[in-house]
């Protein structure tokens, strides 16, 4: 019987893969003779198939194991992360998600330039950090024609969809997902990132971590839209009360867009207790309790005690939050992709310019479900 060929791997690369992969050393040691692989004197190198499985388990690219030096990943997005500790290593899930979005963004960019080589997104650097948050908020409200929709009776989900549609119509790809691609075993962690934006002169892209709460997704989407107007890429992981100066400025703009002071004052019930007003305004303007309390304090309507109460109440609510039971497969698949991007992919596949396997992969569905997905997107089902 022919033995599978063995592949010598630099022990330092194995160590790097274990440190940067998705499984712990102890988990991997239960499945693979890692110590023997690391011992150059044992000659007990991994077989080709073992190394393939090891790559799949760690989610480290297979070709990395054939190098002579420890991989140096040039993840330029790392410097754009708004986290308190910039030295924190990004997870493979975040890295893979960003690479996936970069690939789709590059495809869409090529498609737009093929149609018009002079095509450019015209809103980069539309605002700057020297402008007042209230002035920029007015600019954003005008760009998105949002004023008439604020404070109206609408669910958080419907408002997110409305906001997403308006931002996409301006020429920005808006994608979302709560897992890496279609792998339900690789959920995205909101404590690592809530959203990110990839700036491009032709077609910027915003990605929302859909594992987040509905109100948080609304806040993140608008926050990242303002980053687009600034012309700044970002991986977002900050709260409304962040101490980071630039992020605090963007949050002030965001909350002034969602909760214009005039509309807030008109919605207040003076005879109601502060907590009742806070909950009502949070529902009406699709903002979290904490973000709402911060805005009310900035308007000199309430003080820090309301923020403290909001933080405790919001934390309690998150603990009570029921787990998602899933939903309609096609609705979920459609919610993950930008509609303009989806239509472009479908048109290329229908005209024979794109293989159906590639089209299905780009839309995040299988070949089996591709036709039904297309029907849903085109409104035929």
């Amino acid at each position: 019987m022919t033995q599978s060929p063995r592949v010598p791997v630099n022990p330092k690369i194995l160590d790097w893969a274990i440190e940067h992969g998705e499984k712990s050393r102890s988990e991997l040691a239960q499945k693979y003779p890692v110590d023997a692989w690391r011992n150059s004197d044992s000659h007990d190198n991994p077989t080709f198939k073992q190394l393939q499985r090891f790559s799949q388990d760690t989610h480290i690219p297979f070709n990395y194991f054939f190098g002579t030096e420890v991989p140096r990943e040039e993840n330029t997005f790392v410097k754009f992360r708004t986290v308190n500790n910039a030295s924190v290593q990004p997870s493979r899930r975040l890295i893979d998600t960003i690479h996936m979005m970069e690939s789709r963004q590059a495809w869409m960019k090529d498609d737009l330039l093929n149609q018009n080589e002079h095509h450019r997104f015209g809103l980069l650097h539309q605002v700057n950090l020297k402008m007042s948050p209230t002035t920029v908020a007015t600019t954003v409200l005008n760009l998105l024609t949002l004023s008439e929709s604020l404070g109206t009776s609408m669910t958080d989900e419907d408002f997110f969809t409305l906001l997403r549609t308006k931002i996409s119509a301006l020429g920005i790809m808006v994608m979302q997902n709560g897992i890496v691609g279609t792998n339900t075993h690789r959920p995205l962690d909101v404590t690592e990132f809530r959203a990110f934006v990839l700036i491009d002169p032709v077609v910027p892209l915003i990605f929302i971590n859909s594992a987040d709460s509905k109100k948080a997704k609304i806040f993140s989407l608008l926050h990242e839209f303002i980053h687009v107007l600034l012309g700044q890429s970002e991986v977002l992981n900050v709260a409304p009360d962040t101490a980071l100066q630039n992020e605090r400025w963007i949050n002030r703009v965001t909350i002034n867009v969602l909760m214009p002071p005039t509309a807030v004052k008109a919605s207040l019930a003076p005879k109601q207790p502060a907590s009742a007003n806070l909950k009502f305004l949070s529902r009406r303007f699709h903002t979290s309790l904490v973000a709402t309390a911060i805005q009310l304090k900035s308007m000199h309507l309430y003080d820090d005690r309301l923020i403290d109460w909001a933080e405790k109440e919001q934390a309690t609510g998150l603990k009570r939050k029921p787990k998602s039971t899933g939903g309609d497969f096609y609705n979920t698949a459609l919610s993950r992709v930008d509609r303009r991007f989806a239509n472009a992919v479908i048109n290329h596949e229908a005209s024979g310019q794109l293989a159906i396997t590639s089209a299905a992969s780009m839309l995040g569905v299988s070949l089996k479900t591709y036709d039904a997905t297309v029907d849903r997107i085109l409104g035929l089902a």
Side-chain angles (χ1 to χ4, degrees):
M1 185 175 177
T2 305
Q3 288 189 333
S4 178
R6 294 188 174 273
V7 184
V9 181
N10 184 333
K12 291 183 179 179
I13 294 177
L14 282 172
D15 288 339
W16 182 92
I18 293 170
E19 181 183 350
H20 291 78
E22 286 194 15
K23 291 194 175 181
S24 68
R25 183 180 291 271
S26 60
E27 287 178 299
L28 293 168
Q30 292 176 16
K31 192 172 180 180
Y32 307 99
V34 178
D35 290 336
W37 291 355
R38 293 182 68 259
N39 186 355
S40 57
D41 295 330
S42 71
H43 301 293
D44 188 11
N45 296 313
T47 65
F48 193 82
K49 288 184 178 180
Q50 281 179 319
L51 201 55
Q52 282 181 316
R53 290 196 297 269
F54 190 80
S55 170
Q56 292 168 357
D57 280 340
T58 57
H59 292 282
I60 298 295
F62 187 53
N63 62 299
Y64 283 16
F65 295 98
F66 297 92
T68 57
E69 301 291 335
V70 171
R72 293 185 179 181
E73 293 184 308
E74 297 297 328
N75 294 318
T76 56
F77 63 82
V78 171
K79 65 183 178 182
F80 300 123
R81 290 186 302 162
T82 51
V83 294
N84 293 329
N85 185 355
S87 65
V88 174
Q89 171 66 31
S91 72
R92 297 309 309 180
R93 298 179 188 189
L94 172 56
I95 291 172
D96 290 351
T97 299
I98 289 182
H99 287 167
M100 203 177 297
M101 292 304 109
E102 286 175 333
S103 173
R104 284 156 174 70
Q105 182 183 38
W107 185 90
M108 191 67 182
K109 178 178 181 176
D110 286 345
D111 183 53
L112 291 170
L113 291 177
N114 284 336
Q115 296 175 50
N116 176 8
E117 62 179 332
H118 302 295
H119 179 91
R120 293 293 182 274
F121 177 75
L123 297 178
L124 293 183
H125 309 293
Q126 183 86 356
V127 302
N128 64 70
L129 294 167
K130 293 181 180 179
M131 297 169 69
S132 77
T134 51
T135 299
V136 176
T138 300
T139 299
V140 172
L141 284 168
N142 290 337
L143 283 172
L144 298 176
T145 59
L146 266 183
S147 296
E148 292 185 3
S149 303
L150 295 173
T152 59
S153 180
M154 192 182 299
T155 66
D156 290 340
E157 191 66 42
D158 287 343
F159 186 74
F160 175 82
T161 301
L162 172 71
L163 186 59
R164 179 181 183 177
T165 301
K166 288 178 176 290
I167 290 174
S168 179
L170 293 176
I172 301 168
M173 291 175 67
V174 183
M175 314 284 262
Q176 69 167 341
N177 207 338
I179 58 177
V180 181
T182 58
N183 191 338
T184 56
H185 298 290
R186 300 183 74 196
L188 300 176
D189 187 355
V190 293
T191 63
E192 180 179 27
F193 80 101
R194 295 180 178 276
F196 60 76
V197 58
L198 304 174
I199 295 300
D200 183 87
V202 175
V203 56
L205 181 148
I206 294 173
F207 179 90
I208 302 297
N209 186 343
S210 60
D212 215 344
S213 69
K214 292 176 182 177
K215 293 184 190 300
K217 284 168 53 181
I218 290 169
F219 196 93
S220 294
L221 178 55
L222 194 50
H223 179 108
E224 298 299 52
F225 175 65
I226 295 163
H227 264 280
V228 172
L229 299 183
L230 287 167
Q232 296 178 346
S233 292
E234 179 200 43
V235 178
L236 174 68
N237 182 26
V238 293
D241 57 346
T242 178
L244 297 170
Q245 184 175 353
N246 288 358
E247 293 303 307
R248 189 167 66 243
W249 182 91
I250 295 171
N251 282 352
R252 290 303 312 148
V253 176
T254 303
I255 199 64
N256 274 295
V257 170
L258 292 172
M259 297 185 68
T262 302
V264 170
K265 288 179 180 178
S267 300
L268 274 174
K271 296 182 179 180
Q272 291 293 321
S275 59
N277 265 318
L278 180 63
K279 289 183 176 181
F280 171 75
L281 293 172
S282 172
R283 290 192 302 271
R284 174 64 64 91
F285 293 98
H286 314 287
T287 49
S288 71
L289 290 175
V290 173
T292 306
I294 291 172
Q295 176 70 333
L296 293 175
K297 182 196 172 186
S298 74
M299 293 170 61
H300 307 292
L301 297 173
Y302 297 103
D303 56 25
D304 283 329
R305 288 175 294 179
L306 186 63
I307 297 177
D308 293 339
W309 183 88
E311 289 174 342
K312 293 175 183 176
E313 185 71 9
Q314 188 165 298
T316 302
L318 289 174
K319 289 178 182 177
R320 292 196 303 258
K321 182 182 175 183
K323 289 188 176 181
S324 173
T325 56
D328 179 81
F329 168 82
Y330 294 102
N331 288 341
T332 300
L334 265 59
S335 74
R336 290 173 177 169
V337 294
D338 180 82
R339 189 55 61 93
R340 285 192 317 136
F341 170 78
N343 285 332
V345 169
I346 292 167
N347 289 339
H348 275 254
E349 188 276 322
S351 63
Q353 300 175 68
L354 186 67
I356 190 171
T357 51
S358 297
S361 176
M362 291 168 71
L363 295 184
V365 296
S366 66
L367 277 175
K368 183 179 179 181
T369 57
Y370 177 75
D371 287 339
T373 302
V374 170
D375 287 346
R376 289 287 190 100
I377 291 173
L378 298 180
L380 301 176

